[in-house]
Amino acid sequence: RMIRPRSKERALRMTILVAGDALIGWSSLFAIGELLPQTKFAFVPSNLLLFSLTLIAALALSGFYHDRVTPRTRPSFLAAVVIQTALAGIGGSLLARPVPRTVLFPVPLLEIIALPLWRRLLRAVAPIRPRETILIGDAHDVEHALTGLHLDGDQRIRVDDNATRRLEELDDPATQ
């Protein structure tokens, strides 16, 4: 488990990240839709929102909007795209506007190319500053997390020192 301070920077970064993801969902649908005849697929607001919101929901369900300490818990874009395809198919049926296969499958494939590029661009333009972090857990879990951080070369978390005392041994009741 990790304890980190909350900040406005993190909230702003998350807002920009989600807005960029939504824009990728919208633009991927628009790019594929331009290749199709107008009678095949209609660009109505409900269809545009369907693909943008299902992409955001799929990324959230896959764990892309959660803080991760170790590389073993990193989510996969492939899993998110499969979830999004399922959600878009179900959402299209609920809206009584079935999504054709020529849109349902190529849009996520275009998104799987654009999403990592967007994330890299965001990391290059606005890198995450290292934060002071407290790792809490069993000694084995903390060592595993530290090993994962060192192997991954993650610069977002800076470890200055680790405490080996157990929480029960601390004198202050507020920290127990």
Side-chain angles (χ1 to χ4, degrees), residues 13-43:
R13 182 179 183 80
M14 186 62 67
T15 303
I16 292 170
L17 182 66
V18 171
D21 291 343
L23 184 62
I24 286 174
W26 178 84
S27 59
S28 297
L29 177 65
F30 186 75
I32 297 298
E34 285 294 314
L35 300 174
L36 298 174
Q38 292 296 79
T39 58
K40 187 99 174 168
F41 186 73
F43 281 107

Side-chain angles (χ1 to χ4, degrees), residues 97-114:
R97 296 177 188 262
V99 180
R101 287 187 312 251
T102 54
V103 173
L104 190 60
F105 294 112
V107 169
L109 291 177
L110 192 58
E111 290 168 350
I112 205 168
I113 295 168

Side-chain angles (χ1 to χ4, degrees), residues 133-150:
T133 303
I134 300 171
L135 297 176
I136 297 177
D138 290 334
H140 176 69
D141 292 337
V142 171
E143 286 301 319
H144 185 70
L146 292 174
T147 303
L149 287 172
H150 292 298

Side-chain angles (χ1 to χ4, degrees), residues 153-167:
D154 194 347
Q155 300 299 317
R156 296 174 297 162
I157 298 174
R158 181 178 52 230
V159 178
D160 292 331
D161 194 8
N162 63 11
T164 56
R165 295 174 55 185
R166 298 177 52 101
L167 288 177

